[in-house]
Amino acid sequence: MSGWQGLALLMFRQVRAELTRMVDAGALGREPGPDANSAAWLVWHVARGQDRNLSELAGLPQVYVEQGWAARFGRPADPSDTGYGHTPAEAAAFRGAGAPGAAVLLGYLDAVHDRVEGYLAAAPAGDLARTAPSPTLGTAESVEVRLAAQLADSLAHVGQLGLLGLLGLLGLLGLLPD
C-alpha cells in the first residue's frame, strides 16, 4: 500500500505495537493517582476512538457493538461510549476487579486494527478531501482532519502510557516519594 493510505497504516500499526507492548508488559494496573486514568482505560479509549472514527469513515457499524466487545468489557453497547467526557467515576470502572484483562484488550485492539486495515486498503486516493459526518459526535470534518486528529490523540495517549511505565519502574526501584 502506498500514498497517504500507506503512511496512515504505518502510523496506526506503530500505535498498535506500542499499545500491545504496554499491555504485554503488565502495565494495566498502573495509574499515577486515584483520580487519574488507568492504563487499561487508556488502551480501551484509544481503541474506542479508532473504532468509532474508522468505522464511521468506512460506513460500517463499530466493531465494539457489532462484534459484542461492549459486553466483554461489561459496558453498554453504546457507539458513543468512547471514554470522551468520562468522569473519574466512569473511568474507575477500569480499575481493580472491574478492569478488563489483557486478553480482552488485545482482542479488541486486533479487531479494531482489522477495521483500520480494511478501511485504508479500500480508501480511494481522493478520500482525504471527502467530508465524513460523525453520527456519534454530531460533527462533519474531512477524512484528512479526522485521521489526523485520531492519530494525534492515539499518540498522545501512547505517551501517557509510556509515562505510566516509567512511573512503575521508578516505583519498583524505590525512587518515588510516598
Side-chain angles (χ1 to χ4, degrees), residues 2-3 5 19 35 50 54 59 77 83-84 104 116 123 148 159 167 171:
S2 62
Q5 302 94 327
L19 293 174
D35 289 332
Q50 289 183 7
L54 278 291
Y84 181 74
V104 173
V116 169
L167 291 173

Side-chain angles (χ1 to χ4, degrees), residues 113-126:
H113 194 74
D114 288 346
R115 175 60 45 91
V116 169
E117 295 235 4
Y119 165 72
L120 291 171

Side-chain angles (χ1 to χ4, degrees), residues 13-177:
R13 284 179 176 164
Q14 186 63 40
V15 168
R16 178 188 183 202
E18 290 299 317
L19 293 174
T20 300
R21 186 179 61 77
M22 292 304 294
V23 171
D24 286 345
L28 294 181
R30 293 189 188 139
E31 52 196 63
D35 289 332
N37 296 325
S38 68
W41 184 90
L42 287 167
V43 172
W44 172 83
H45 172 64
V46 169
R48 287 295 298 123
Q50 289 183 7
D51 186 6
R52 182 196 68 225
N53 277 290
L54 278 291
S55 293
E56 289 177 356
L57 293 178
L60 298 169
Q62 294 178 29
V63 298
Y64 187 68
V65 175
E66 180 185 48
Q67 296 177 13
W69 287 100
R72 291 178 217 167
F73 283 101
R75 309 223 18 109
D78 177 358
S80 66
D81 183 25
T82 63
Y84 181 74
H86 268 189
T87 65
E90 289 171 310
F94 289 83
R95 292 190 181 112
V104 173
L105 280 167
L106 291 173
Y108 182 52
L109 277 173
D110 287 346
V112 169
H113 194 74
D114 288 346
R115 175 60 45 91
V116 169
E117 295 235 4
Y119 165 72
L120 291 171
D127 207 33
L128 286 178
R130 175 174 59 94
T131 298
S134 171
T136 55
L137 294 176
T139 60
E141 300 288 346
S142 70
V143 169
E144 181 177 32
V145 167
R146 288 190 64 181
L147 287 174
Q150 181 56 58
L151 283 165
D153 186 68
S154 295
L155 292 168
H157 290 310
V158 165
Q160 288 176 310
L161 285 160
L163 177 60
L164 288 176
L166 176 62
L167 291 173
L169 177 62
L170 293 173
L172 288 173
L173 296 174
L175 299 175
L176 290 178

